[in-house]
Amino acid sequence: MSLLVVGSIALDSVATPFGETADAPGGSAVFFSAAGAILHPVQVVGVVGSDYPLGVLKALERRGVDLTGVQQVPGESFRWKAKYSYDLSSRETLDTRLGVFAEFRPKLPDGFRDARYVFLGNIDPDLQLGVLDQMTHPALVACDTMNYWIQSKNDLVLELLRHIDILMVNDSEARELSGDWNVYRAAHWVLKRGPRMAVIKQGEHGALLVSPDATFKVPAYPLQEVFDPTGAGDAFAGGFMAYLASTDDLSTPNLRRAMVYGAAMGSFAVEAFGIHGLENVSAADVRARVRAFKDLVHFETGEDHR
Ligand code: AMP
């Protein structure tokens, strides 16, 4: 079952209390595919400028990522600069430079149009809609966005909600979009506007899956060392969507499992700067972490012993 992502392919300059990077490869499509390809082949749609280190993309290709939909055009690649707070729980965007993304109009290669699983990674909502228009019959469309787009293109973000199955955003984005500080209410606000599910990522507090009749919560994996939270959300999405694509099963128990695969992938992403945390992770490593999650949350009610 084919899995497609459209998103940013970026050069990130990130400062955390533990170090900093300058022009390190990142972006929503890169984190998503670095994580997703561990479980399932990924097709990528995006654009890079003439300054992008192509070796990074070649390394992804060797791991099962199809880059036929990535264009390289003259100009500067998308650049993003951010600084994290001392406890890594919040970050400030210092600079966003769209570069070649400003003129990008995605055109899907023929072999990509019939993908069954689609992730519209964080990127201009206009481009996300443009990709969706070219898809023939996706089984599941999930979509991320960011404060930047919620503020600058709110109407298009709302239009997008009418065409997707899952909105997958972090808690601050859900609050900003809905205008409600309570994330559960914010999730239900989203459900009234089109999507049949909302996945709210909550950083060190895990993630929440909300549908009209059920709520499921997965914790974040307890790690003693966290270096860089950048891309954890996209790695989560990569794990979640790749698990669904590899199993082609949208039942409730499988969606819950996909949440745990997402959380496992997010936990690998934050263990090193940029995409390095995902570089040497195997499917067996991911499965082992999923088992560790099961232990982490397992408990007996005690009622059987009465
Ligand atoms: P996350 O930490 O999962 O929210 O994703 C961070 C990634 O999103 C970084 O690699 C950035 O390059 C990318 N990014 C940040 N701002 C934007 C934006 N406005 N549009 C597209 N991608 C962005």
Side-chain angles (χ1 to χ4, degrees):
M1 287 303 150
S2 40
L3 169 62
L4 179 139
V5 59
V6 59
S8 52
I9 303 177
L11 294 173
D12 291 341
S13 298
V14 169
T16 83
F18 311 110
E20 54 186 76
T21 58
D23 282 349
S28 50
V30 170
F31 281 107
F32 180 96
S33 48
I38 298 169
L39 300 174
H40 194 76
V42 182
Q43 303 170 329
V44 181
V45 176
V47 66
V48 294
S50 31
D51 51 359
Y52 205 82
L54 295 184
V56 174
L57 300 181
K58 290 274 167 238
L60 285 176
E61 210 163 31
R62 283 195 294 276
R63 295 172 54 195
V65 179
D66 184 342
L67 299 168
T68 323
V70 176
Q71 297 171 23
Q72 186 171 32
V73 301
E76 281 198 1
S77 296
F78 176 91
R79 276 181 170 73
W80 179 69
K81 193 170 179 188
K83 186 171 187 263
Y84 283 85
S85 62
Y86 174 71
D87 62 0
L88 298 176
S89 67
S90 62
R91 73 181 176 207
E92 188 190 351
T93 292
L94 303 174
D95 194 19
T96 301
R97 275 192 275 158
L98 295 182
V100 292
F101 261 105
E103 301 299 321
F104 180 53
R105 292 290 164 269
K107 181 157 178 353
L108 266 56
D110 286 341
F112 282 20
R113 289 172 196 267
D114 59 357
R116 296 257 303 153
Y117 290 83
V118 180
F119 184 67
L120 305 173
N122 174 28
I123 197 179
D124 188 328
D126 213 358
L127 303 188
Q128 292 174 314
L129 282 164
V131 166
L132 216 43
D133 275 351
Q134 298 172 55
M135 307 298 309
T136 51
H137 53 276
L140 186 85
V141 178
C143 175
D144 190 5
T145 188
M146 214 173 186
N147 305 25
Y148 185 85
W149 304 114
I150 295 170
Q151 287 155 18
S152 63
K153 299 208 171 178
N154 197 270
D155 290 355
L156 284 176
V157 173
L158 294 179
E159 166 68 16
L160 201 54
L161 291 185
R162 288 193 271 277
H163 302 280
I164 61 171
D165 300 292
I166 304 182
L167 181 72
M168 196 179 279
V169 288
N170 68 32
D171 40 11
S172 70
E173 291 151 358
R175 288 188 177 107
E176 180 151 9
L177 185 60
S178 63
D180 195 328
W181 62 270
N182 179 302
V183 286
Y184 300 97
R185 277 201 305 256
H188 284 282
W189 181 97
V190 168
L191 297 183
K192 288 199 194 93
R193 278 153 187 85
R196 49 193 168 108
M197 282 171 266
V199 172
I200 314 283
K201 298 165 287 178
Q202 299 172 289
E204 63 175 331
H205 303 298
L208 198 62
L209 171 71
V210 182
S211 69
D213 44 10
T215 300
F216 177 70
K217 168 91 186 191
V218 59
Y221 189 70
L223 293 168
Q224 298 212 18
E225 306 281 7
V226 175
F227 284 101
D228 177 12
T230 308
D234 303 305
F236 179 99
F240 179 90
M241 291 296 284
Y243 182 72
L244 290 178
S246 67
T247 51
D248 196 26
D249 172 1
L250 294 175
S251 65
T252 301
N254 210 48
L255 284 159
R256 288 173 171 231
R257 263 190 300 278
M259 289 287 289
V260 183
Y261 273 83
M265 226 48 110
S267 71
F268 287 116
V270 302
E271 284 181 302
F273 273 94
I275 52 170
H276 296 305
L278 293 162
E279 264 164 9
N280 297 312
V281 178
S282 67
D285 295 331
V286 179
R287 283 194 296 271
R289 195 155 283 187
V290 167
R291 285 195 297 276
F293 268 93
K294 187 163 185 287
D295 281 347
L296 183 67
V297 298
H298 180 84
F299 73 101
E300 309 286 346
T301 60
E303 284 166 340
D304 317 343
H305 304 304
R306 284 207 193 120

